[in-house]
Amino acid sequence: MTTPHEHPLTPTDGPSSTGATPSAAHEGLRAALAAAPVIAILRATSATRLAEVTDTLRASGVRAAEFTLTTPGVLDALREYSADAPPGLALGAGTVTTPAEAQAAVEAGATYLITPTTSVEVIAEGVRLGVPVLPGAYTPTEILTAWRAGATMVKLFPAANAGGPEYLRAVRAPLPGIPLVPTGGIGAAEAPAYLAAGATALGIGSPLVGDACEGGSLTALADRAAAFLDGIGR
């Protein structure tokens, strides 16, 4: 039987990384990213506008949003929004650094977890909770460690500093079965090259969200989202 630490080098489009049947959370995230391979990263000085921003992104075609735990009041915002989240939206928690944070985020309504580092403990907690985990990794060793620990996908972070699409392509050559989600420094102009290099999806923060979480124009946000998706053919 496959255990998390014996995670095979195969894609995760069938059974989950632990050998179990995929949960609704896993299927929801995969469906959202199949519709639009973008995870919008919502990080702000206050959680008061996260719901409006998420609604705008969803209406514009972005189906996955990450509420970062560094945002004050985020768990309350996550709990309130998830209680009546629109269908087809994958709502996750980002910057998860401890198992306790993972549990609190899932209890608040997060259906997937994203970490900035290769934290085996957080991955294990996500597996235990039955939700997808996208741990951050930079090197091939970290990527493989995260995958074998039970990651659903691996966040290549920080992508721009790692060498961009060429680095992604180089890493995928020996590790072709690991779904990678480049994150960090990816704008609309760079997005198509990352997808062409084999990215499963893209984590996008300020180039997409801009100042919308801090009171900026939601109309401008919708325009950015539409242009971003148009640029990648969605």
Side-chain angles (χ1 to χ4, degrees):
M1 178 179 293
T2 299
T3 66
H5 291 281
E6 295 169 344
H7 194 5
L9 253 174
T10 54
T12 55
D13 55 355
S16 73
S17 60
T18 57
T21 301
S23 68
H26 285 79
E27 295 297 346
L29 178 60
R30 288 175 186 152
L33 296 182
V38 173
I39 300 174
I41 302 167
L42 277 54
R43 188 187 308 277
T45 57
S46 168
T48 57
R49 214 155 185 240
L50 297 187
E52 291 176 276
V53 169
T54 304
D55 283 342
T56 301
L57 290 167
R58 172 65 179 81
S60 301
V62 176
R63 304 299 180 88
E66 168 193 338
F67 285 22
T68 61
L69 296 192
T70 53
T71 301
V74 70
L75 289 179
D76 288 339
L78 184 60
R79 186 174 295 106
E80 182 176 350
Y81 193 82
S82 65
D84 193 29
L89 176 74
L91 184 63
T95 321
V96 180
T97 60
T98 68
E101 287 179 345
Q103 183 171 0
V106 171
E107 288 176 350
T111 58
Y112 60 95
L113 305 170
I114 300 181
T115 82
T117 65
T118 308
S119 172
V120 173
E121 294 79 11
V122 173
I123 297 170
E125 183 66 6
V127 170
R128 186 188 73 80
L129 293 167
V131 298
V133 187
L134 286 69
Y138 188 82
T139 67
T141 297
E142 291 173 347
I143 291 168
L144 187 58
T145 297
W147 181 248
R148 286 181 169 167
T152 307
M153 305 171 194
V154 178
K155 181 177 80 170
L156 181 62
F157 175 78
N161 300 81
E166 290 307 313
Y167 181 72
L168 171 64
R169 186 175 287 108
V171 167
R172 289 194 72 250
L175 303 173
I178 301 180
L180 298 177
V181 181
T183 303
I186 302 173
E190 298 81 29
Y194 279 98
L195 293 172
T200 296
L202 307 172
I204 312 293
S206 57
L208 171 62
V209 179
D211 63 352
C213 290
E214 305 290 355
S217 169
L218 295 178
T219 299
L221 172 63
D223 291 343
R224 283 193 300 273
F228 206 104
L229 295 180
D230 184 64
I232 60 175
R234 299 301 175 106

